Amino acid sequence: MHVPSVKGRPPRDVAVAYGENPDTCPVRCWLAWKEAAGLTAGPAFLPVDQKGRLGTQRPGPDGCRLAITRAAERAGLDVKLTGHSARRGLVSTGRKRGKRAEKLRKQGGWAANSPVIWEYVDEGERWEDTATEGIGR
């Protein structure tokens, strides 16, 4: 997937693998959206108005937040999600599944010296080899 320059970061290409669950697989969801929207070039995501009409310009940060929030509500999730939740979730879930922090950093587009990514890595590793594990037997 090509990620254009955002917030002064250089553009990059990242690999996105098929997910284990077909219902939540990012590749299958993207292919279905691409076909349904008739996309052949341009931004991956476009706004859809209240009447179901597809816009022509990529959504802004608030549009992304609204789309994520509405999707969570439709899924019955009782959580507050933001546009940044997907990036954070990539790291915390990736670490829980044993993915290397450096791979996650590159995928999410964080700078090598970003302190934020390490907070997310710590969150993903919280229950891994805890200091109290095995004590009290």
Side-chain angles (χ1 to χ4, degrees):
M1 176 177 92
H2 180 73
V3 180
S5 176
V6 178
K7 295 183 181 178
R9 296 182 195 114
R12 64 191 193 285
D13 291 325
V14 297
V16 179
Y18 279 84
E20 294 177 17
N21 181 342
D23 293 333
T24 60
C25 170
V27 176
R28 289 178 183 94
C29 289
W30 159 246
L31 293 173
W33 163 249
K34 184 178 170 187
E35 182 179 336
L39 300 178
T40 57
F45 301 104
L46 299 169
V48 178
D49 70 14
Q50 290 89 346
K51 295 183 180 182
R53 294 179 298 224
L54 194 60
T56 58
Q57 301 295 316
R58 69 177 46 113
D62 197 51
C64 294
R65 179 191 61 78
L66 286 171
I68 290 169
T69 300
R70 289 176 184 152
E73 288 171 357
R74 284 192 301 274
L77 300 176
D78 187 24
V79 295
K80 182 177 188 235
L81 298 175
T82 68
H84 195 70
S85 298
R87 288 183 80 209
R88 180 182 195 138
L90 168 71
V91 177
S92 59
T93 302
R95 285 303 301 148
K96 287 176 187 171
R97 301 284 167 88
K99 303 297 180 185
R100 294 190 327 247
E102 182 61 14
K103 284 281 200 175
L104 295 165
R105 183 194 67 75
K106 286 181 179 179
Q107 183 88 5
W110 281 278
N113 60 350
S114 169
V116 173
I117 180 125
W118 297 110
E119 290 176 28
Y120 301 159
V121 167
D122 287 345
E123 182 180 308
E125 295 176 348
R126 180 177 302 155
W127 295 100
E128 193 175 290
D129 191 31
T130 65
T132 57
E133 186 176 346
I135 294 176
R137 292 183 187 183

